[in-house]
Amino acid sequence: VLEIDSRKARFDACLILMALHRLTPEEMGPAVPEIATLQLRYGNYLDRMDRPEAAETVYGRALEFLQRVETPRAWHYLRIARYYRRTGKADEALNVLLEGIRKLPKSAGLHLVAAVYYENLGIYYRAIEEYRQTLLLAPDNKRARTRLERLENR
């Protein structure tokens, strides 16, 4: 069984080598360690290679791994949410952000992005709540303050 080295440069080199040997995503997937960060990198690779179904599967697997991690990073959730948003799945993107907020309630970045998503979906009262939470965590966040003021003055 092949397993990819987890260091970033070696991981990328292994993906390239497997692609040069014409391995399919189904053949490459089992070699990727069950580490959320590496699954996200692999999902990003599949997305760039125009393999949306495979990328979505891998991002879903990364989300499962994140549920088992005690200290995930906000960017893990932001990356998956961005993928879902870009592929027209705003509800899934928002659910990923909310899961991230449950795991990392003090992440101003996750609250801010969730606020923007709510605002874009027209759920203004929730956007206001998330902008306020962002400002509680990061009082100097100008973007949150500006957007909150705009919503409160509509």
Side-chain angles (χ1 to χ4, degrees):
V1 172
L2 176 69
E3 186 169 315
I4 297 175
D5 189 308
S6 64
R7 287 173 287 238
K8 185 177 175 180
R10 287 188 182 172
F11 179 80
D12 291 344
C14 287
L15 287 179
I16 291 167
L17 284 172
M18 287 191 291
L20 289 172
H21 286 288
R22 303 206 188 295
L23 270 68
T24 66
E26 295 76 23
E27 295 168 321
M28 295 168 82
V32 178
E34 294 184 353
I35 299 169
T37 300
L38 298 180
Q39 292 290 324
L40 290 172
R41 291 184 66 75
Y42 181 49
N44 194 42
Y45 163 81
L46 292 169
D47 188 31
R48 286 192 322 266
M49 296 295 112
D50 197 29
R51 300 293 305 263
E53 298 86 14
E56 187 163 337
T57 298
V58 170
Y59 282 128
R61 195 165 46 238
L63 202 52
E64 290 174 19
F65 296 144
L66 286 174
Q67 291 172 354
R68 292 184 253 158
V69 174
E70 283 187 36
T71 56
R73 303 260 199 258
W75 73 264
H76 292 136
Y77 296 99
L78 293 169
R79 166 111 19 116
I80 297 169
R82 183 178 63 217
Y83 170 80
Y84 282 130
R85 184 194 72 221
R86 199 173 40 72
T87 57
K89 298 177 180 174
D91 288 343
E92 286 93 339
L94 186 56
N95 286 334
V96 168
L97 291 170
L98 295 177
E99 185 173 326
I101 288 170
R102 277 191 292 281
K103 280 283 244 189
L104 301 164
K106 294 183 180 181
S107 170
L110 286 170
H111 285 284
L112 177 61
V113 174
V116 172
Y117 276 52
Y118 278 125
E119 187 175 353
N120 291 338
L121 291 169
I123 308 171
Y124 301 118
Y125 76 96
R126 289 288 295 148
I128 289 170
E129 289 174 2
E130 292 298 337
Y131 284 130
R132 286 180 178 157
Q133 187 61 36
T134 301
L135 290 170
L136 284 174
L137 297 167
D140 295 332
N141 190 307
K142 292 177 185 172
R143 182 176 180 202
R145 186 163 312 287
T146 300
R147 293 184 84 134
L148 176 61
E149 288 170 359
R150 190 181 73 235
L151 278 179
E152 289 179 331
N153 293 325
R154 333 173 325 144

